[in-house]
Amino acid sequence: LDEGPRSCLLRVRHRLEQDMKPSYIMDHMITDGVLTVDEEEKIRTRDQAAALLELMLRKDNRTYISFYNALIKETYDDLASLLHADLPRTSPTAYKSFPDGYTPYVRTVLSEGGVPQRPVVFVSRPELLNRVREKLYQLQKEPGWVTIFGMAGSGKSVLAAEAARYHSLIEGKCFPGGIHWLSIGQLDKPDLLVKIQSLCFRLEQELDPQLHHRPPNSLDEAKERMRFLMLRRYPRSLLILDDIWDTSVLKAFDIQCRILLTTRNRSLVDSVSGAKYEVEVASGLDEKKGLEILALYTNRKMHGLPEEARSIVKECKGSPLVVSLIGALLKEKPDRWHYYLRQLQQKQFKRIRKSSSYDYDALDQAMAASIEVLPEEHRELYKDFTVLEKDIKVPAKVLSILWDLPIEEVEDILEEFANKSLLFMDTNNKPYLYYLHDLQLDFLIDLHTKIVLQYQQYYRDGHPTSGDEECQYWIRFLTDHMAKANLTQELYSLMFSLDWVTVKSQVMSPAHLINDYIAHGPILDKEFQEFLSLNGHQLEHRPDVVQLALSEPLTSEVYRQARMQALQQSSRG
Ligand code: ADP
């Protein structure tokens, strides 16, 4: 640590020890890679604040900067302002010895701006990176927007941070005003205001730590404050807005400045003004990069990876998120290659848990979030994509028949899905063809399991018999959901239960019931099939299934269940 920051820490140490709660601060510092988990654990066993400061005195300038940023993120603005004057400033140095342009100067500027570090395991994607940087250079001449869009976990945020990690962008003529990162995510207006307040605070502190401005207290005021800061005080700086969901967020930043944003929704920028450029993150990592990640996590050479490695990368189509999640798991349990591959093949996403700072607990939540923001009626349509076969592309016309909607309307809906990265479009073909990423399809199929489980939970005391729309839905489609979710055992016991037969023949009609038995016939019990094929026609007029079933042979399962129910009924009185 340089002299300045060192003496500052010593001067204000008592204030810091009194006022701050170190546990959250340390989380940020770990994310920045300036504190290790071991160190954190040691600190936790002692007087935390004092121990953390003690450790920082033995560390480098980066730690000080990261600590400063963490204070701001945790809204200890007054404490941060005590440290501000001594923030280390590395002067621009010759950067020839840093071939990737990541000089100490860049490092300082980026960490002051809150730009996240590389993930622990990182592979370069030069082609994409160059595309983003090329667009950023366009912003040299005039303000505007660069959008990086793509599906959940495709690596947009990592790419955005990497694009900024480049000497000639910052030091050269492009963004001499610095780079400022703001993580947005799904938030409401009050949260957005808090985010902008803390950004304003950070920017104002950098200019003059003595000045204490009142934080803007409405979004309009915040927008004006930002406009002033960006135009007058930080001209030619780049603002990176990470993970935007809503146009209202972009509108708050529609102030003629230079913005790089990441989103799953390509059309967000339609609502703001200025020059616009976009980069799509369309495909996953190629095999080599995917294997490289697995090799790095598991500390092996590429050629020493087991056979399953290749299948894992292939199975998730090189999704950086999934490969990294599995890599991190393998690091802990190096003998589970086969097991995780199987989990992935069986779509057991819930067991593939998060390990990094990724915002969503598991992949399925990330996917669910994308679907939840669709308007209700489109959400239902989207779920219909489960009828598509893997790796098959369909023209809009097929969907127009499926949904019974005019082709123009279908095209609009498909475009919306594609813009939100929920669907892929093959534009090389005329007419365009549409298809889902394998993982998306698997996720949708997984929804069948979910709906069955929810049903079982909700109706654990018996099937609904009201006959209203909701009841009809369940009675009509429950078997299909079970079949699609591959819940053979559940399907079997459902169709093989007299309760179900009774309810279904009453609520729908015996014809529907029989239809189920034809559709799912192969898994069913012979005696049951015979009973239904012989008595199906009678159900229409004599809905008392139990009575009918009681006349079956005494040894049959049908009889056994019927007898049990009859006994239950009589004991209930
Ligand atoms: P997105 O913003 O598209 O949802 P992120 O950029 O947050 O996705 O990436 C999700 C996860 O994928 C990261 O937490 C990281 O583990 C992994 N990842 C993304 N890009 C890379 C990369 N270039 N190298 C290694 N891992 C990556």
Side-chain angles (χ1 to χ4, degrees):
L1 201 60
D2 288 348
E3 209 170 39
R6 227 180 115 72
S7 98
C8 174
L9 275 186
L10 289 167
R11 266 195 326 271
V12 300
R13 143 182 221 168
H14 290 299
R15 267 295 296 284
L16 292 169
E17 281 174 19
Q18 268 168 21
D19 295 355
M20 74 172 177
K21 279 223 175 61
S23 57
Y24 295 116
I25 305 276
M26 290 196 288
D27 285 346
H28 294 298
M29 295 175 72
I30 290 175
T31 311
D32 283 354
V34 298
L35 197 70
T36 67
V37 177
D38 283 349
E39 286 169 335
E40 187 209 17
E41 256 159 34
K42 277 203 200 105
I43 291 175
R44 278 197 197 284
T45 60
R46 304 176 25 209
D47 176 1
Q48 298 193 15
L52 175 62
L53 291 172
E54 198 53 52
L55 181 72
M56 279 174 46
L57 286 168
R58 285 183 270 123
K59 294 211 162 211
D60 62 0
N61 288 347
R62 260 190 335 129
T63 316
Y64 186 91
I65 296 172
S66 158
F67 178 65
Y68 171 83
N69 285 334
L71 287 175
I72 288 186
K73 283 183 197 141
E74 291 301 320
T75 61
Y76 289 114
D77 297 349
D78 45 340
L79 293 182
S81 65
L82 296 175
L83 301 187
H84 184 270
D86 292 292
L87 272 176
R89 269 184 202 280
T90 328
S91 65
T93 38
Y95 55 91
K96 295 222 170 51
S97 51
F98 299 91
D100 56 356
Y102 190 27
T103 60
Y105 178 67
V106 171
R107 194 180 303 199
T108 312
V109 171
L110 295 188
S111 71
E112 272 181 28
V115 178
Q117 305 262 321
R118 280 181 186 160
V120 203
V121 164
F122 170 82
V123 295
S124 62
R125 303 170 89 178
E127 205 250 331
L128 270 175
L129 195 60
N130 286 338
R131 288 226 297 273
V132 179
R133 285 185 181 151
E134 237 166 57
K135 306 287 191 276
L136 289 177
Y137 277 117
Q138 303 285 328
L139 299 185
Q140 182 177 335
K141 294 172 288 193
E142 52 169 354
W145 310 79
V146 176
T147 304
I148 301 181
F149 73 96
M151 64 181 276
S154 56
K156 301 180 293 292
S157 312
V158 172
L159 184 65
E162 195 57 24
R165 218 167 273 135
Y166 196 51
H167 193 276
S168 65
L169 269 181
I170 299 175
E171 227 261 298
K173 297 189 196 96
C174 225
F175 306 115
I179 298 197
H180 309 278
W181 179 281
L182 207 57
S183 305
I184 305 281
Q186 274 177 296
L187 40 64
D188 51 19
K189 290 208 163 123
D191 288 337
L192 176 62
L193 180 59
V194 172
K195 296 248 175 207
I196 304 183
Q197 282 172 342
S198 83
L199 178 65
C200 290
F201 179 82
R202 199 162 80 192
L203 296 173
E204 281 159 357
Q205 279 288 302
E206 240 170 78
L207 292 172
D208 182 358
Q210 306 308 326
L211 263 184
H212 284 286
H213 292 283
R214 185 178 55 79
N217 56 21
S218 71
L219 270 180
D220 284 339
E221 201 185 318
K223 185 171 174 180
E224 286 319 305
R225 185 81 66 89
M226 285 294 301
R227 191 196 302 277
F228 173 80
L229 277 167
M230 296 317 268
L231 250 56
R232 295 294 158 85
R233 300 302 171 127
Y234 290 88
R236 311 260 307 283
S237 60
L238 177 70
L239 208 55
I240 305 183
L241 305 177
D242 185 33
D243 196 18
I244 307 281
W245 287 75
D246 201 279
T247 46
S248 66
V249 176
L250 285 193
K251 287 196 176 127
F253 289 94
D254 196 1
I255 47 175
Q256 293 293 307
C257 62
R258 293 163 164 83
I259 290 184
L260 170 64
L261 66 124
T262 75
T263 178
R264 299 185 202 171
N265 186 350
R266 174 187 209 161
S267 49
L268 280 184
V269 280
D270 293 351
S271 62
V272 291
S273 55
K276 291 163 197 168
Y277 310 89
E278 60 177 34
V279 176
E280 178 175 14
V281 186
S283 53
L285 303 165
D286 59 30
E287 184 180 271
K288 192 153 162 280
K289 295 278 172 192
L291 292 177
E292 192 180 333
I293 291 191
L294 292 175
L296 286 166
Y297 268 113
T298 55
N299 234 335
R300 298 181 189 221
K301 297 258 179 312
M302 294 262 271
H303 57 83
L305 288 171
E307 243 169 69
E308 288 90 350
R310 196 158 276 143
S311 315
I312 288 176
V313 176
K314 190 160 158 239
E315 191 70 32
C316 64
K317 297 248 161 101
S319 156
L321 174 64
V322 178
V323 177
S324 304
L325 286 174
I326 295 184
L329 290 167
L330 283 166
K331 186 186 167 131
E332 303 293 317
K333 308 267 186 219
D335 50 355
R336 290 206 176 163
W337 289 89
H338 187 67
Y339 174 71
Y340 290 132
L341 171 61
R342 278 244 320 282
Q343 299 266 299
L344 192 59
Q345 283 164 341
Q346 294 171 356
K347 325 308 167 209
Q348 298 289 333
F349 291 129
K350 287 193 190 70
R351 250 166 271 161
I352 300 174
R353 279 274 154 200
K354 82 155 185 179
S355 58
S356 59
S357 60
Y358 198 68
D359 292 353
Y360 303 94
D361 257 356
L363 184 70
D364 54 348
Q365 263 160 294
M367 298 265 188
S370 265
I371 296 176
E372 264 155 34
V373 294
L374 291 175
E376 176 106 26
E377 32 338 330
H378 292 177
R379 209 178 306 157
E380 290 310 311
L381 296 181
Y382 186 71
K383 289 181 186 164
D384 288 345
F385 276 109
T386 43
V387 302
L388 300 187
E389 293 293 323
K390 258 198 180 158
D391 293 320
I392 299 288
K393 302 176 178 180
V394 294
K397 186 78 189 130
V398 169
L399 295 159
S400 128
I401 292 169
L402 172 68
W403 292 334
D404 194 18
L405 290 172
I407 184 88
E408 293 78 7
E409 203 174 314
V410 169
E411 280 168 356
D412 289 350
I413 295 171
L414 293 175
E415 195 178 314
E416 182 200 349
F417 292 161
N419 283 340
K420 297 203 160 115
S421 309
L422 285 166
L423 182 72
F424 290 87
M425 218 152 72
D426 182 349
T427 49
N428 293 325
N429 196 75
K430 297 276 153 27
Y432 293 169
L433 296 177
Y434 300 87
Y435 59 102
L436 292 192
H437 188 285
D438 276 9
L439 290 173
Q440 291 168 325
L441 197 55
D442 293 339
F443 171 75
L444 283 182
I445 290 170
D446 212 40
L447 280 176
H448 290 292
T449 314
K450 180 170 171 195
I451 201 168
V452 172
L453 294 177
Q454 294 290 87
Y455 175 87
Q456 287 170 337
Q457 169 77 10
Y458 197 84
Y459 289 109
R460 53 178 174 269
D461 298 330
H463 303 291
T465 52
S466 62
D468 63 10
E469 298 266 328
E470 191 233 28
C471 163
Q472 284 194 16
Y473 177 85
W474 291 118
I475 304 302
R476 172 142 184 221
F477 292 114
L478 188 59
T479 44
D480 290 344
H481 287 306
M482 285 179 167
K484 284 195 180 133
N486 267 333
L487 294 169
T488 318
Q489 195 56 47
E490 268 87 351
L491 180 59
Y492 182 88
S493 4
L494 180 76
M495 295 180 54
F496 191 22
S497 92
L498 275 182
D499 272 345
W500 176 254
V501 173
T502 312
V503 174
K504 183 137 190 171
S505 61
Q506 283 168 3
V507 172
M508 306 301 295
S509 76
H512 278 98
L513 188 64
I514 288 163
N515 215 13
D516 270 0
Y517 288 89
I518 296 169
H520 309 295
I523 65 162
L524 289 176
D525 180 89
K526 268 251 147 48
E527 287 168 356
F528 231 75
Q529 283 191 9
E530 269 164 27
F531 165 64
L532 282 160
S533 57
L534 294 175
N535 296 296
H537 64 284
Q538 297 200 42
L539 290 174
E540 195 91 56
H541 313 291
R542 284 182 55 189
D544 189 348
V545 184
V546 176
Q547 281 303 320
L548 264 179
L550 281 173
S551 54
E552 286 297 288
L554 300 189
T555 51
S556 71
E557 174 66 23
V558 184
Y559 176 80
R560 196 188 63 77
Q561 282 194 39
R563 180 158 181 277
M564 224 164 64
Q565 290 206 4
L567 287 176
Q568 273 169 7
Q569 273 171 16
S570 69
S571 74
R572 264 187 246 127

